[in-house]
Amino acid sequence: MDWTLEVAFLPVTDVDRAKDFYTRIGFHPDHDQSPSDDIRFVQMTPPGSACSIAFGKGIVEDPGPNVGQLMLCVSDINAARTQLLDAGVDASEVDVQPWGHFVYFDDPDGNHWNVQYLPYRYES
């Protein structure tokens, strides 16, 4: 039996601001539904990913700072950083470690993201 992670829930304080942010960095808006006045469910997926993020009104209670970290994996760390910078995101310099290369950024609500590139996956 496969156990797949398909949705990670994020706390946000402004749903429209979060949706705009993730759209600017290339996430696809899969759903934006309000089944009641108390609930708005937004689901967005990074390009090529089988896992989405979800946020909205009445979805995650009590958003707090530093709620956790999420990781995106890419085949070109420099192109990923450039795409983030072009979208107006304050992305870190590339952090080269023996086990991989990383770029870090936060969304407008302080949710932390790591972008990971593993050279051994792409070297011949």
Side-chain angles (χ1 to χ4, degrees), residues 3-118:
W3 290 38
T4 61
L5 178 64
E6 297 193 13
V7 180
F9 290 83
L10 298 178
V12 300
T13 55
D14 183 322
V15 178
D16 290 321
R17 178 181 69 179
K19 184 176 178 183
D20 178 62
F21 175 82
Y22 287 107
T23 300
R24 281 188 293 130
I25 65 172
F27 283 41
H28 180 267
D30 302 319
H31 301 285
D32 187 346
Q33 302 293 321
S34 296
S36 74
D37 290 340
D38 297 325
I39 297 175
R40 179 176 174 197
F41 180 83
V42 178
Q43 182 172 334
M44 302 187 76
T45 304
S49 180
C51 185
S52 301
I53 59 170
F55 53 85
K57 178 181 175 186
I59 302 299
V60 177
E61 301 302 321
D62 301 322
N66 303 326
V67 295
Q69 295 192 16
L70 296 168
M71 182 174 290
L72 297 165
C73 298
V74 297
S75 60
D76 185 331
I77 195 71
N78 294 309
R81 182 174 185 271
T82 298
Q83 181 176 337
L84 290 168
L85 294 173
D86 289 349
V89 175
D90 184 19
S92 73
E93 296 291 329
V94 175
D95 177 17
V96 177
Q97 298 294 327
W99 55 89
H101 305 177
F102 302 87
V103 168
Y104 311 101
F105 69 95
D106 290 347
D107 76 6
D109 287 287
N111 294 302
H112 300 298
W113 287 87
N114 299 331
V115 181
Q116 175 190 59
Y117 165 71
L118 299 174

